[in-house]
Amino acid sequence: MTKVVLNVKGMSCGHCVNSVEGAVKNLGAAAKVDLAAGSVAVEFDENAVTLETIKEAIEDQGYDVVS
């Protein structure tokens, strides 16, 4: 499993947490949002999903991945 922490702009509430974590979960990965830090810790299997796909899923929810 690969673990990456992404900086994500635009998250501010519980709905944001649910949107991001849900989008990543739908890809078969796990995510933990830290609103205070503006980050998302992602754990995924590189054989099943790419980091780019995860970033796109977060951005599709309306947030900006900056790292």
Side-chain angles (χ1 to χ4, degrees):
M1 293 295 258
T2 301
K3 295 180 182 180
V4 177
V5 176
L6 302 171
N7 292 319
V8 180
K9 289 188 177 179
M11 301 182 300
S12 61
C13 64
H15 174 75
C16 300
V17 172
N18 292 336
S19 294
V20 171
E21 290 180 355
V24 173
K25 183 178 179 181
N26 286 340
L27 298 173
K32 178 69 175 148
V33 172
D34 183 339
L35 285 178
S39 66
V40 180
V42 181
E43 187 172 342
F44 62 101
D45 179 354
E46 288 182 327
N47 295 318
V49 64
T50 66
L51 183 57
E52 280 305 311
T53 302
I54 292 170
K55 288 179 179 179
E56 288 173 10
I58 293 170
E59 290 179 342
D60 285 348
Q61 296 302 308
Y63 308 102
D64 295 318
V65 178
V66 293
S67 70

